Amino acid sequence: RSCGGGGTASGPTSTTIPALPVPDGPAIAALVVDAIAPFRTVPDAEAGSGVVEPGPASAAIPDTTPDQLDALGFQRGWSRVFVGPDGSSVLLFVLAFAGPNGPRYLQEQFASEPRPGRQFRPVPGVPGAVAEVGPTPKGNQAASTVLAAGRYAVSVTVGGPGAAESYRAALGRIATRQIAALTRAQSSVPTEPSSTSSTQPRTSAG
């Protein structure tokens, strides 16, 4: 899976379009869902989670770099960590972009090819979305996904010593709640574009 590439691969390119205003950290934090049972939310100060500014955000999306996210119009995000009683953990990112093209591109890129040793399975409750499921380098099991919800990209990873399928089920429940929260927020509060420029992904010809 690659975000850049050769002549026929899709990739981000700069195109001037109206950009949505940059949201502040607390505004994004209010949209990020809390833990579902049996997980509990770890306080941001303890987990090192919280606001995500351009640069470190590449850790939220597999196989991307800060420059690539910047080209896609990434503005600001928020991360949250949950832990489960079996030693499992959840890393949830909600990233705001200048428009919907960046998140859509990231979801399509994620779903293009699983990493070695892993496989794609459906995300329960999110039609058309895929989760990458399989072992981690440390020998645990994990399920992860990247989804688009309007101007927001959502990255969820659930992993630990338990069964991969149980983590995929938990991922589906978390992703469903998070997508619903972002959809409600964007449908109830119209946001006017600003006069600044944004970017949109390039699609392959033909």
Side-chain angles (χ1 to χ4, degrees):
R1 190 193 302 135
S2 174
C3 192
T8 60
S10 298
T13 188
S14 293
T15 302
T16 300
I17 59 174
L20 293 170
V22 180
D24 60 27
I28 303 175
L31 301 176
V32 182
V33 298
D34 286 319
I36 58 170
F39 300 97
R40 67 172 179 85
T41 302
V42 182
D44 292 330
E46 179 183 338
S49 52
V51 68
V52 180
E53 300 288 357
S58 60
I61 307 293
D63 301 327
T64 61
T65 68
D67 286 345
Q68 288 164 340
L69 286 180
D70 182 63
L72 289 170
F74 171 65
Q75 296 177 328
R76 182 171 287 130
W78 198 270
S79 64
R80 191 156 286 166
V81 174
F82 313 148
V83 293
D86 66 345
S88 59
S89 62
V90 177
L91 185 55
L92 170 63
F93 287 88
V94 174
L95 307 180
F97 286 75
N101 290 325
R104 280 199 298 261
Y105 175 79
L106 290 171
Q107 179 173 343
E108 292 169 1
Q109 170 197 293
F110 177 84
S112 63
E113 182 181 356
R115 285 172 286 185
R118 301 189 181 186
Q119 60 180 326
F120 281 148
R121 299 291 307 279
V123 176
V126 185
V130 297
E132 188 183 68
V133 180
T136 70
K138 294 183 178 181
N140 289 328
Q141 294 290 321
S144 59
T145 193
V146 176
L147 304 170
R151 70 177 299 187
Y152 296 97
V154 177
S155 173
V156 189
T157 299
V158 185
E165 281 303 298
S166 69
Y167 295 150
R168 183 172 71 96
L171 178 145
R173 292 166 59 206
I174 295 165
T176 300
R177 294 180 72 238
Q178 185 61 75
I179 293 296
L182 294 172
T183 300
R184 285 194 302 269
Q186 292 175 97
S187 63
S188 62
V189 183
T191 306
E192 293 296 328
S194 70
S195 60
T196 58
S197 66
S198 179
T199 56
Q200 63 182 11
R202 180 183 70 238
T203 56
S204 301

